[in-house]
Amino acid sequence: MNQLHRPIAIGALVAGSLALCTAKAVAQDQLADMTKDANQWVMTGRTYDLQRYSPLTQINATNVKNLHAAWSFSTGTLRGHEGNPLVIGSVMYLHSSFPNKVYALDLSKPGAPQIWQYTPEQDANVIPIACCDVVNRGLAYHPSGKLYIELLQGDLLALDAKTGKKIFQVKSADFHKGETMTNAPLVVKNVVLTGISGGEFGVRGRITAFDAMDGHELWRGYSTGPDADVKISGTPNANYPSMQGKDLGVSTWQGDEWQHGGGTTWGWYSYDPKLNLFYYGSGNPGTWNPDQRPGDNKWSMTIWARNPETGEVKWVYQMTPHDAWDYDGVNEMVLFDTKDGKKLLVHFDRNGFGYTLDRTNGKVLVANAYGPVNWAKSIDLTTGRPVEDASKRTTAKGNTEGICPAAIGFKDQQPSAYSPKTGWSYVPTNNICMDYEGVEVKYAAGQPYVGAIVRMFPGPGGNRGAFIAWDPTVGKIMWSDKEGLASYGGALATAGDIVFYGTMEGWLKAVDAKTGKLLWQYKTPSGIIGNPMTYVGPDGKQYVAVLSGIGGWAGIGVAAGIGAEDPTAGLGALGAFGDAGSFSTQGGVLTVFSLDSPGTAAK
Amino acid sequence: MNQLHRPIAIGALVAGSLALCTAKAVAQDQLADMTKDANQWVMTGRTYDLQRYSPLTQINATNVKNLHAAWSFSTGTLRGHEGNPLVIGSVMYLHSSFPNKVYALDLSKPGAPQIWQYTPEQDANVIPIACCDVVNRGLAYHPSGKLYIELLQGDLLALDAKTGKKIFQVKSADFHKGETMTNAPLVVKNVVLTGISGGEFGVRGRITAFDAMDGHELWRGYSTGPDADVKISGTPNANYPSMQGKDLGVSTWQGDEWQHGGGTTWGWYSYDPKLNLFYYGSGNPGTWNPDQRPGDNKWSMTIWARNPETGEVKWVYQMTPHDAWDYDGVNEMVLFDTKDGKKLLVHFDRNGFGYTLDRTNGKVLVANAYGPVNWAKSIDLTTGRPVEDASKRTTAKGNTEGICPAAIGFKDQQPSAYSPKTGWSYVPTNNICMDYEGVEVKYAAGQPYVGAIVRMFPGPGGNRGAFIAWDPTVGKIMWSDKEGLASYGGALATAGDIVFYGTMEGWLKAVDAKTGKLLWQYKTPSGIIGNPMTYVGPDGKQYVAVLSGIGGWAGIGVAAGIGAEDPTAGLGALGAFGDAGSFSTQGGVLTVFSLDSPGTAAK
């Protein structure tokens, strides 16, 4: 962990100052300052804006063909591996799928040996409660030297980044009620923001904020219920009449269904330090059977802007009122500014539309389909509501066939990247459609509350996914690379004019940012549903790292060993992606790449 | 699986002829003929002599520094991965640890996608019966297109190599009695030779031979008991008086202890087609407590030469009479001929001596220590017996301290290589010593029958292993590369003047065959206890492949998650190699290397 010889001054300064930090002394923007050092990767999306963009250029479109594996590391768990490691100073921090092991690896030594590892003790009874594999999307770091991970069983765990010793572990969710935790927390100043999963168990979605130092709860903001619970004090969204009024989180539901109303919060969170707002999406309303919950079901399927310190809602925007397709709105909001200073966000929703919003006020500027959507013709920019095709609205009265996209969306958890250099988003997508039939279901705490039978299948063209470039200012696909299976891992864009993404077969690919041309690929041990990231090691060389480890919703067939006999199994994923073992094998492995000859590691 | 474009004629001919083969039509030496094609790797040691030597030279001492990972594949299981894949034509066949999955991978396509996979159904109750992790040492192939694997629960399984469909599965061992199966079978003509594990459960070791076509039992030869059971008809060993006489497998035991006498057969088997003899070693006598079994305990700790078709013993040679240290004799016999035509074998025993024998008659020519042995001063070449240091002979009357080597030997399962080019053996070794105290134990079927408390610790110098070159004609170390941990994976020597071996930390290393100089290394995802192998792919390029996946006896701390608080845990391995997770993490991954730029895989 010798920081003195690091070539980049900012990294050295930040790391060197850690020892001096106390809780109170942490500068308001210290974590934001750390993101200015492109050599490090200190939060899940590298920067608060979730652009997953690196200014590094050592590896670029010209030389990426010479990239090769530099070292590799097994996480010791088999199930699906979403997310990506962090690099702080000369240490890499890595998480695993359940039971959410955490590792610190010493990048200053050949092969990056372990500094410490921590295996949380968790109740294995939580495993069947996780709807779509026992994934975890990664760690968050606080400049006082703390790491945070959300444990599947419902705890926020804080570790000492230097020693791996537990600092605190606080209960936030109760898996006996179907509440689990899978997403990467977001640290803003001294606040740790966490979400919950469990939309298939009739949970009530919320964000819970904890004090970064001792883990005491600071606030909780629900997705459904009275404004006081939701933390709405003003007009929810001044742009759209249907999003104005009091307690819409109650009145847009029948009876007390809002109490089991879903709106989970397991996606990626972004943050704008100047506006002091963080952005995230809420998931499906419970149940999946729309006939059981007349109304808009606010605020499921919604984009949120909240104050991280108080939880106060600045604005909300509901994308899919009265969802009938499980089009969770949890996908990430990527923040970017236009050259003329507009503060925007771009979001690729499960419902198949790519939205560009004014992030100061929740007004939709662009909303175009980024795949062959047929459940809605368009998004009406005046009302903010979709213009539906009535024949594709599902019901419990019968099976509705041939809906595009499927419940898993044209994009699910796999985070997109945005390059300020090209001004484009890079989006890993699914091309999956479905048949959907609502089913009457009764709520019982901790029992599945799905209420639908879904059969998923490849969309038009037969390819099950594509990796696309998208201009968010006009809402247009700039190029598209077809994939045999879904691109169910995240994207990484770099100033080297290349974009990285993974495939469910296990290929990590580098493509030209301007044309999508395949420049390089490597077959990792297992299917990739994690996110590539990049950093500069203590040796001054740029590395690219990616977790492989098939699983997640798309890979549940392999992860849970389910055969493809029943295409509705795995909430429909088996029909979409085929049977266990047909395209990949289980196992969590980080593979790290560089341009350097591995032979030079022999010293 | 397009064979037509393979550059090597022999491989193409052999593969092309498979369809025409019937059981009876299989030429006597067809498998031996296939080994003449250096592009393939058709049996565990590449050739019947177990030399693990490849004539390939594309990758050599000059260019190995440019070697890098070409692709990788997760086996989908976490426990220790011993053994190595086979390559036949353009297909790689790979096994995993329990439950002994088998994969066929298509080498003619980028990233070697699966052709088929087979997961045997096994009784999970066998897991605690495996003394030292639930490893498997690999597959055997028959030219009629069949693959064989020994299942941990005690079955021989035959699969159709083309389709992965089961051909037969026959029971050979009963794990309820402590008998398990872990070793790689050996195919000789139409015979499949199998062994058993379970020396810690008072089993009775034996070789069982099965018909390769339908799996019916051909013969069984025991390690202990009457000559009729052992299949000795003549003089056991004409060279040594103590190895002459009738029914020594009974008379060298007290009472009926020979019925629980161990002598298991889980090592690697070699075969000499001209002599029509196969060679293997037998393991420890049961129990580990020597006071309970006075006598030489024949034929435990013995080198065997048998006829593969009849089981008839040609000769035996007992290395460690009346074992008091668990110095299993199972390590491989590597066959080689001298320039003047002597037919020899070399064997590195757990007892710390490297033996060179005349393999026609079992006469010891050389027996020298290959590590800091102290339990015996030498092997008396006249009597064939060790000259013991009485102070290191263990007993149940007290703890005997500071014995070298430890029970795990200066070498255990990790197979050595032999280069006919240098005339040297390349030997991965442990440097571990021990304290040992016998304990009275009663036999009960299926219960542990260990009878000793063993504490293992690093040997002189503190390094826990080394990789050495050895001249077997004189019994001398030619060079030695120290390792921090044991070199618990196998070795591969090539005509490119390089030798490959793996480490428990996960490094695959290439060293200069003449000097031992480190030329290249790569950090695989997990510790290596498997064996590197090499082949030429359908693209005409040489590849090197190795399984990583920490475990086995040495890695049981990591594999079974045992802490190091009790150094006698894991039959002493915890004291020797430290606690769970300190040096590696679990996960079975095959990594395949080439000189080719991975960027060219982008097509």
Side-chain angles (χ1 to χ4, degrees):
Chain A
M1 290 191 64
N2 181 354
Q3 294 290 347
L4 298 176
H5 303 295
R6 279 215 79 176
I8 301 298
I10 297 173
L13 283 172
V14 171
S17 66
L18 293 188
L20 304 173
C21 289
T22 65
K24 297 294 172 194
V26 171
Q28 288 275 314
D29 296 307
Q30 196 175 338
L31 197 55
D33 281 349
M34 289 174 78
T35 66
K36 290 174 189 158
D37 176 6
N39 291 4
Q40 305 188 96
W41 191 286
V42 302
M43 58 180 70
T44 187
R46 201 188 78 78
T47 40
Y48 274 129
D49 50 30
L50 273 185
Q51 289 186 356
R52 297 186 178 275
Y53 172 80
S54 169
L56 298 175
T57 55
Q58 281 186 30
I59 299 169
N60 54 51
T62 305
N63 63 21
V64 69
K65 65 178 185 288
N66 300 319
L67 202 64
H68 49 236
W71 55 274
S72 49
F73 180 84
S74 178
T75 69
T77 69
L78 288 177
R79 301 287 290 257
H81 281 70
E82 296 180 353
N84 51 268
L86 306 181
V87 169
I88 292 143
S90 60
V91 181
M92 175 180 282
Y93 299 100
L94 183 64
H95 65 288
S96 81
S97 58
F98 185 85
N100 310 135
K101 289 168 181 271
V102 184
Y103 297 98
L105 305 179
D106 187 350
L107 299 177
S108 72
K109 292 183 182 154
Q114 290 178 55
I115 300 168
W116 54 257
Q117 70 95 19
Y118 186 92
T119 302
E121 284 186 22
Q122 292 202 63
D123 189 335
N125 291 315
V126 70
I127 293 174
I129 304 300
C131 83
C132 311
D133 204 3
V134 292
V135 297
N136 183 282
R137 297 188 190 86
L139 301 161
Y141 178 78
H142 187 279
S144 62
K146 294 180 186 66
L147 286 171
Y148 307 90
I149 186 166
E150 298 182 24
L151 303 184
L152 189 68
Q153 71 176 14
D155 302 354
L156 175 66
L157 170 69
L159 299 176
D160 184 319
K162 198 169 178 183
T163 63
K165 299 264 187 280
K166 178 156 73 177
I167 297 172
F168 64 77
Q169 181 170 342
V170 291
K171 185 118 219 108
S172 181
D174 182 357
F175 77 82
H176 299 99
K177 294 184 188 162
E179 301 168 350
T180 51
M181 292 174 82
T182 59
N183 65 300
L186 176 70
V187 167
V188 173
K189 301 169 197 168
N190 281 334
V191 180
V192 186
L193 300 159
T194 68
I196 63 164
S197 304
E200 284 57 61
F201 286 81
V203 306
R204 188 176 169 210
R206 73 256 181 172
I207 297 284
T208 309
F210 296 93
D211 182 274
M213 296 302 127
D214 62 13
H216 77 267
E217 186 178 312
L218 298 172
W219 56 263
R220 176 171 280 191
Y222 285 93
S223 302
T224 65
D227 283 353
D229 288 11
V230 181
K231 294 195 170 287
I232 291 177
S233 57
T235 300
N237 192 315
N239 305 291
Y240 308 111
S242 70
M243 300 177 209
Q244 294 166 12
K246 282 250 171 246
D247 295 327
L248 295 178
V250 173
S251 62
T252 60
W253 296 86
Q254 181 172 269
D256 66 354
E257 183 67 21
W258 59 268
Q259 292 187 7
H260 318 301
T264 50
T265 51
W266 52 269
W268 313 93
Y269 307 167
S270 50
Y271 171 62
D272 182 327
K274 286 187 187 142
L275 298 174
N276 198 30
L277 292 174
F278 77 101
Y279 301 88
Y280 68 97
S282 54
N284 62 288
T287 85
W288 287 21
N289 176 5
D291 295 357
Q292 276 183 256
R293 43 169 174 73
D296 273 0
N297 309 135
K298 290 183 164 56
W299 298 99
S300 67
M301 308 309 211
T302 293
I303 299 176
W304 299 73
R306 283 191 197 263
N307 177 305
E309 287 155 306
T310 64
E312 197 63 29
V313 171
K314 172 77 174 174
W315 56 262
V316 282
Y317 168 70
Q318 189 182 42
M319 294 169 285
T320 312
H322 189 39
D323 170 74
W325 311 272
D326 186 44
Y327 291 150
D328 275 49
V330 297
N331 291 353
E332 74 285 357
M333 318 299 151
V334 179
L335 315 186
F336 69 101
D337 295 350
T338 60
K339 284 186 182 133
D340 57 351
K342 286 199 195 86
K343 292 175 182 295
L344 306 181
L345 68 78
V346 58
H347 166 81
F348 299 88
D349 200 60
R350 285 244 292 259
N351 73 11
F353 288 93
Y355 294 81
T356 305
L357 275 74
D358 182 330
R359 72 174 183 267
T360 65
N361 61 15
K363 184 173 172 55
V364 180
L365 305 177
V366 177
N368 289 341
Y370 63 98
V373 172
N374 68 11
W375 72 277
K377 293 179 180 66
S378 61
I379 306 299
D380 182 331
L381 296 187
T382 311
T383 64
R385 296 175 74 93
V387 181
E388 290 186 27
D389 178 334
S391 72
K392 299 299 181 192
R393 171 159 280 282
T394 74
T395 162
K397 295 186 186 76
N399 192 21
T400 306
E401 294 181 356
I403 306 163
C404 298
I408 202 167
F410 286 147
K411 190 181 95 65
D412 188 33
Q413 62 83 27
Q414 63 265 48
S416 61
Y418 173 86
S419 166
K421 208 168 164 189
T422 59
W424 295 347
S425 291
Y426 297 95
V427 194
T429 70
N430 317 319
N431 178 34
I432 304 290
C433 300
M434 69 175 169
D435 303 339
Y436 189 114
E437 180 169 10
V439 175
E440 184 76 17
V441 64
K442 265 205 153 30
Y443 175 79
Q447 297 302 311
Y449 193 53
V450 180
I453 295 168
V454 177
R455 189 176 74 87
M456 298 202 283
F457 45 82
N463 55 304
R464 298 174 198 186
F467 188 78
I468 68 173
W470 175 267
D471 182 340
T473 63
V474 293
K476 192 180 149 200
I477 293 175
M478 305 309 289
W479 50 254
S480 175
D481 290 342
K482 285 187 183 177
E483 282 292 342
L485 292 173
S487 307
Y488 205 72
L492 164 69
T494 84
D497 300 319
I498 41 178
V499 186
F500 291 89
Y501 71 98
T503 76
M504 289 175 69
E505 298 95 331
W507 292 99
L508 179 65
K509 298 188 177 186
V511 298
D512 185 292
K514 295 192 189 81
T515 65
K517 190 190 167 206
L518 181 63
L519 301 174
W520 171 89
Q521 63 180 351
Y522 177 81
K523 174 71 171 44
T524 65
S526 177
I528 296 173
I529 61 167
N531 315 323
M533 55 80 74
T534 187
Y535 65 93
V536 170
D539 58 1
K541 289 172 186 151
Q542 184 183 353
Y543 292 83
V544 172
V546 71
L547 269 173
S548 60
I550 192 66
W553 189 3
I556 190 67
V558 180
I562 306 171
E565 303 77 26
D566 176 7
T568 68
L571 297 172
L574 273 292
F577 299 108
D579 64 339
S582 61
F583 57 84
S584 188
T585 46
Q586 286 187 284
V589 171
L590 186 84
T591 309
V592 182
F593 303 86
S594 77
L595 295 171
D596 193 25
S597 166
T600 61
K603 27 189 163 189
Chain B
M1 291 189 65
N2 181 354
Q3 294 291 345
L4 298 177
H5 304 296
R6 280 214 79 177
I8 301 299
I10 297 173
L13 284 173
V14 170
S17 67
L18 292 188
L20 304 174
C21 290
T22 64
K24 297 293 171 194
V26 172
Q28 288 275 315
D29 296 305
Q30 195 174 340
L31 197 57
D33 281 349
M34 288 174 78
T35 67
K36 291 174 188 158
D37 176 4
N39 290 4
Q40 305 189 95
W41 191 286
V42 302
M43 57 180 72
T44 188
R46 201 187 79 77
T47 40
Y48 274 130
D49 50 30
L50 273 184
Q51 289 186 355
R52 296 185 178 277
Y53 171 80
S54 169
L56 297 176
T57 56
Q58 280 186 30
I59 299 168
N60 54 52
T62 306
N63 63 22
V64 69
K65 65 177 184 288
N66 299 319
L67 202 63
H68 49 237
W71 55 274
S72 49
F73 180 83
S74 178
T75 69
T77 70
L78 288 177
R79 300 286 291 258
H81 281 68
E82 296 181 352
N84 51 268
L86 306 182
V87 169
I88 292 145
S90 59
V91 181
M92 175 180 281
Y93 299 99
L94 183 65
H95 65 287
S96 82
S97 58
F98 185 86
N100 310 135
K101 289 168 181 272
V102 184
Y103 297 98
L105 305 178
D106 187 350
L107 300 176
S108 72
K109 292 183 182 154
Q114 290 178 55
I115 300 167
W116 53 257
Q117 71 95 20
Y118 186 92
T119 302
E121 283 186 25
Q122 292 202 63
D123 188 335
N125 291 315
V126 69
I127 293 173
I129 304 299
C131 84
C132 311
D133 204 3
V134 292
V135 297
N136 182 283
R137 296 189 190 86
L139 301 160
Y141 178 78
H142 187 279
S144 63
K146 294 180 187 66
L147 286 171
Y148 307 90
I149 187 166
E150 298 182 23
L151 303 185
L152 189 68
Q153 70 176 14
D155 301 354
L156 175 66
L157 170 69
L159 299 175
D160 183 319
K162 198 168 178 184
T163 64
K165 299 265 185 283
K166 178 157 72 176
I167 296 171
F168 63 78
Q169 181 169 341
V170 290
K171 186 120 219 108
S172 181
D174 181 358
F175 78 81
H176 299 98
K177 293 183 188 162
E179 301 167 350
T180 50
M181 293 174 83
T182 59
N183 65 298
L186 176 69
V187 167
V188 173
K189 302 170 199 168
N190 281 335
V191 180
V192 186
L193 300 159
T194 69
I196 63 165
S197 303
E200 284 56 62
F201 287 81
V203 305
R204 189 176 169 210
R206 74 255 179 172
I207 298 283
T208 309
F210 296 92
D211 181 275
M213 295 303 126
D214 61 14
H216 77 268
E217 187 179 312
L218 298 172
W219 55 264
R220 176 171 281 191
Y222 285 94
S223 302
T224 66
D227 283 354
D229 289 10
V230 180
K231 294 196 171 285
I232 291 177
S233 57
T235 301
N237 192 315
N239 305 291
Y240 308 112
S242 71
M243 300 177 210
Q244 294 165 13
K246 283 252 169 241
D247 294 327
L248 294 176
V250 173
S251 62
T252 60
W253 295 86
Q254 182 172 270
D256 67 354
E257 184 67 22
W258 59 268
Q259 293 187 4
H260 317 301
T264 50
T265 51
W266 53 268
W268 313 94
Y269 306 168
S270 50
Y271 171 63
D272 183 327
K274 286 187 187 143
L275 297 175
N276 199 28
L277 292 174
F278 78 101
Y279 301 88
Y280 69 96
S282 54
N284 63 287
T287 85
W288 288 21
N289 176 6
D291 296 357
Q292 277 181 255
R293 44 169 174 72
D296 273 359
N297 309 137
K298 290 182 165 59
W299 298 100
S300 68
M301 308 310 210
T302 293
I303 299 175
W304 299 73
R306 282 191 197 262
N307 177 304
E309 287 154 307
T310 64
E312 198 62 28
V313 171
K314 171 77 172 175
W315 56 260
V316 283
Y317 168 70
Q318 189 183 42
M319 294 170 285
T320 312
H322 189 38
D323 170 75
W325 311 271
D326 186 43
Y327 291 150
D328 275 48
V330 296
N331 291 353
E332 74 286 357
M333 318 300 151
V334 179
L335 315 187
F336 69 103
D337 296 350
T338 60
K339 283 185 183 132
D340 57 351
K342 287 200 194 85
K343 292 174 181 298
L344 307 182
L345 68 78
V346 58
H347 166 83
F348 299 89
D349 199 60
R350 285 244 293 259
N351 73 12
F353 289 94
Y355 294 81
T356 305
L357 275 74
D358 182 330
R359 72 175 182 267
T360 66
N361 61 15
K363 184 172 171 57
V364 179
L365 305 176
V366 177
N368 288 341
Y370 62 98
V373 172
N374 68 11
W375 72 278
K377 293 180 179 67
S378 61
I379 307 298
D380 182 331
L381 296 187
T382 311
T383 63
R385 296 176 72 95
V387 181
E388 290 186 27
D389 179 333
S391 73
K392 300 298 182 195
R393 172 159 279 281
T394 75
T395 163
K397 297 188 184 76
N399 191 21
T400 306
E401 294 182 353
I403 306 164
C404 299
I408 203 168
F410 287 147
K411 189 181 95 63
D412 189 32
Q413 62 82 26
Q414 63 266 48
S416 62
Y418 173 86
S419 166
K421 207 168 165 188
T422 60
W424 296 348
S425 290
Y426 297 95
V427 194
T429 71
N430 318 317
N431 178 34
I432 303 290
C433 300
M434 69 174 171
D435 303 339
Y436 190 114
E437 181 169 9
V439 174
E440 184 76 17
V441 64
K442 265 207 155 28
Y443 175 79
Q447 296 301 311
Y449 193 54
V450 179
I453 296 167
V454 177
R455 190 176 74 85
M456 299 203 279
F457 43 82
N463 55 304
R464 299 175 198 185
F467 187 79
I468 67 173
W470 175 267
D471 183 340
T473 62
V474 294
K476 193 180 147 197
I477 292 175
M478 305 310 289
W479 51 255
S480 175
D481 290 341
K482 285 186 183 178
E483 282 293 340
L485 292 173
S487 306
Y488 205 71
L492 164 69
T494 83
D497 300 319
I498 41 178
V499 185
F500 292 89
Y501 71 98
T503 77
M504 288 176 69
E505 298 95 331
W507 292 99
L508 179 66
K509 298 188 177 186
V511 299
D512 186 293
K514 295 193 188 79
T515 65
K517 188 190 168 208
L518 181 62
L519 301 174
W520 171 89
Q521 62 180 351
Y522 176 81
K523 175 72 169 47
T524 65
S526 176
I528 296 172
I529 61 168
N531 315 323
M533 55 79 74
T534 188
Y535 66 93
V536 170
D539 58 2
K541 288 172 186 152
Q542 185 182 354
Y543 293 83
V544 172
V546 72
L547 269 172
S548 60
I550 193 65
W553 188 4
I556 190 68
V558 180
I562 306 170
E565 303 77 26
D566 176 7
T568 69
L571 296 172
L574 274 292
F577 299 107
D579 64 339
S582 61
F583 57 84
S584 189
T585 46
Q586 286 186 284
V589 171
L590 185 85
T591 310
V592 181
F593 303 87
S594 77
L595 296 171
D596 191 27
S597 165
T600 62
K603 25 188 162 186

